[in-house]
Amino acid sequence: MKRREFHRALAALTTGAALSPLDAASQSSSGSINRCAGREGGHSTDSRRPTGCTVVLFEKGATAGVDVRGSAPGTRETDLLNPINSVQEVQAILLSGGSAFGLDAASGVVRFLEEHRLGYLVGDVVVPIVPAAILYDLEIGDAKIRPTADSGYKACQAATAKHVMEGNVGAGAGATIGKMFGIKQAMKSGLVARAFEWATPESWWAPS
């Protein structure tokens, strides 16, 4: 078997088993991005494309770590999670569509948290710490439509401690898998609880 044929066979196996299309309002009780106490999760979804963002808020802060994967990662403030750095807690974590443009949604989360006086204290100033990561969904619909700072703010407003919807909502609205051989080969995916993987009730974030 030639190397190219091997890679095609491997891709067929891995993408076929990875994720099946998810309902836009999956209410499975098997997991939720805020399934542990002290967290609130919320989405902002723009159905025009679709795209969106998803936030998890930590009112009392949380110690976090990160494993950034992929050949072209788009992140914000993940370097702060290095254990040698001075910042010990985060107030929120954001996932967003929109590729690099989607990182702007984190500014809305920061604005929301500042209004609620949640963040790293620097004198009288509160600086919210919001690590963020994006996914590439610009080839789904109109690429000019992407999450903004207002999207991040709205996701915070929608945050709840109750079960948060999974599937084609928030950051998962425009998510796809199986793009090794181009967008025409892609399949619809979405957001599931495993997008936020917790090693303990209080720590660990692994976007993948």
Side-chain angles (χ1 to χ4, degrees):
M1 177 181 289
K2 295 181 180 180
R3 184 169 61 180
R4 180 174 296 180
E5 293 173 341
F6 170 79
H7 285 304
R8 286 185 181 275
L10 179 63
L13 287 173
T14 56
T15 58
L19 283 175
S20 58
L22 301 172
D23 292 336
S26 171
Q27 295 290 340
S28 171
S29 60
S30 61
S32 177
I33 61 175
N34 61 341
R35 63 181 178 268
C36 294
R39 303 185 185 126
E40 293 186 353
H43 304 295
S44 174
T45 305
D46 191 332
S47 58
R48 293 177 298 166
R49 193 153 72 80
T51 189
C53 61
T54 298
V55 68
V56 177
L57 304 176
F58 307 92
E59 183 177 356
K60 297 182 180 179
T63 302
V66 63
D67 177 15
V68 180
R69 307 175 189 177
S71 59
T75 60
R76 168 175 164 158
E77 293 199 314
T78 53
D79 285 348
L80 282 173
L81 303 183
N82 188 318
I84 69 171
N85 291 332
S86 60
V87 175
Q88 299 298 310
E89 293 183 339
V90 303
Q91 282 70 54
I93 290 172
L94 175 81
L95 291 183
S96 179
S99 190
F101 301 105
L103 290 173
D104 190 37
S107 297
V109 180
V110 169
R111 175 160 54 94
F112 179 90
L113 292 169
E114 182 185 21
E115 291 175 359
H116 290 77
R117 298 288 296 173
L118 297 173
Y120 184 78
L121 290 176
V122 184
D124 293 333
V125 180
V126 174
V127 182
I129 305 301
V130 183
I134 51 87
L135 59 86
Y136 181 77
D137 63 2
L138 296 181
E139 292 184 88
I140 306 298
D142 183 356
K144 294 294 185 181
I145 299 173
R146 53 243 188 176
T148 63
D150 285 342
S151 303
Y153 192 89
K154 290 177 181 177
C156 292
Q157 289 180 315
T160 176
K162 298 179 181 179
H163 185 86
V164 179
M165 291 191 299
E166 301 172 15
N168 296 325
V169 292
T176 54
I177 57 171
K179 298 183 285 287
M180 182 180 293
F181 302 110
I183 191 65
K184 292 183 178 180
Q185 305 297 320
M187 296 171 283
K188 192 70 187 74
S189 61
L191 183 74
V192 294
R194 199 178 182 280
F196 294 86
E197 185 174 280
W198 313 102
T200 72
E202 296 300 329
S203 65
W204 191 252
W205 169 44
S208 58

